[in-house]
Amino acid sequence: DGGITQSPKYLFRKEGQNVTLSCEQNLNHDAMYWYRQDPGQGLRLIYYSQIVNDFQKGDIAEGYSVSREKKESFPLTVTSAQKNPTAFYLCASSTGQNQETQYFGPGTRLLVL
Amino acid sequence: AQSVTQLGSHVSVSEGALVLLRCNYSSSVPPYLFWYVQYPNQGLQLLLKYTSAATLVKGINGFEAEFKKSETSFHLTKPSAHMSDAAEYFCAVRAYNFNKFYFGSGTKLNVKP
């Protein structure tokens, strides 16, 4: 089955720790995205990548980093510089063509200990 | 610049009643418009999308939306609500030739028996 997988489903971060959220897709999509979701605020774009080895900052990139070494993988690292990381993180992908839809993974909930 | 406004963070209807969720957008170029549904602790699932082929768009689960350029609106409707429709709904816009999606803040639909 084609789709997007995110792991882990729940992640706990200690003070000062970096954590990495995994996102893998087997849809052969060029574009991948990371969003942060907080109650009542909808989805806010953290980073996006339109092609391997290239990515752009979204609206709330501070305290986050990404890499795109493979087409199917787009991991997100939440660094210790992100002071309020508790949120639901969603990964998405699309073909990158104009009319194409974004498809979403099941999400990772990050909690701070 | 693109943006989306969803009027009403919470909407409550009785089972069998009409569902109307409002979405207004702003876009400096012809837009592509989407409605997504999210169930608790899950990713987003596409309900329907407008890509300029027809102004009335039919989606899954009996939902439809009408694109009205003069009103810059893309409201989501369903003639008869079902208990399983209770979820959060997001409107999103993507401008032609831009690879970023902009999401509204979401509307939680409650269906009363």
Side-chain angles (χ1 to χ4, degrees):
Chain A
D1 283 342
I4 303 174
T5 56
Q6 291 186 243
S7 61
K9 188 172 178 63
Y10 295 94
L11 185 58
F12 298 90
R13 193 190 92 163
K14 295 181 181 178
E15 199 73 34
Q17 186 182 40
N18 293 353
V19 293
T20 297
L21 285 62
S22 170
C23 177
E24 303 277 333
Q25 55 99 358
N26 61 5
L27 300 168
N28 199 33
H29 284 170
D30 286 316
M32 297 187 74
Y33 309 78
W34 273 106
Y35 292 93
R36 170 178 171 143
Q37 186 178 20
D38 296 280
Q41 296 194 45
L43 277 68
R44 292 183 291 168
L45 183 65
I46 305 173
Y47 269 97
Y48 66 107
S49 168
Q50 299 187 67
I51 198 168
V52 174
N53 291 324
D54 185 53
F55 48 83
Q56 288 79 41
K57 292 182 179 179
D59 302 314
I60 56 164
E62 186 174 350
Y64 300 97
S65 66
V66 294
S67 63
R68 187 86 187 277
E69 297 176 1
K70 297 186 296 182
K71 186 175 185 177
E72 57 270 24
S73 178
F74 192 41
L76 173 74
T77 296
V78 183
T79 74
S80 57
Q82 174 49 247
K83 298 305 179 188
N84 183 23
T86 297
F88 192 52
Y89 290 87
L90 288 161
C91 178
S93 72
S94 74
T95 63
Q97 300 303 311
N98 271 318
Q99 297 187 16
E100 279 304 310
T101 307
Q102 277 192 334
Y103 295 89
F104 284 82
T108 292
R109 188 165 296 281
L110 178 59
L111 300 165
V112 177
L113 293 176
Chain B
Q2 294 80 44
S3 67
V4 175
T5 302
Q6 290 184 240
L7 291 175
S9 59
H10 291 80
V11 170
S12 186
V13 300
S14 298
E15 192 173 20
L18 172 72
V19 175
L20 171 61
L21 305 181
R22 299 178 186 276
C23 172
N24 288 88
Y25 70 92
S26 67
S27 177
S28 54
V29 294
Y32 298 113
L33 294 157
F34 306 80
W35 273 101
Y36 287 87
V37 61
Q38 185 182 35
Y39 298 97
N41 293 311
Q42 294 185 26
L44 276 65
Q45 178 185 357
L46 180 71
L47 276 178
L48 50 81
K49 67 178 181 181
Y50 167 76
T51 58
S52 77
T55 56
L56 182 62
V57 183
K58 294 187 184 298
I60 62 171
N61 301 338
F63 284 94
E64 63 182 37
E66 186 173 9
F67 172 69
K68 292 188 176 180
K69 185 177 179 180
S70 61
E71 299 177 7
T72 61
S73 70
F74 190 57
H75 302 329
L76 182 71
T77 60
K78 181 173 181 178
S80 176
H82 192 272
M83 296 297 291
S84 61
D85 295 326
E88 189 160 18
Y89 293 80
F90 291 92
C91 182
V93 63
R94 174 187 175 178
Y96 179 80
N97 262 349
F98 286 88
N99 212 355
K100 288 173 68 174
F101 292 70
Y102 295 86
F103 286 82
S105 56
T107 298
K108 285 188 177 177
L109 176 65
N110 178 46
V111 181
K112 299 175 289 186

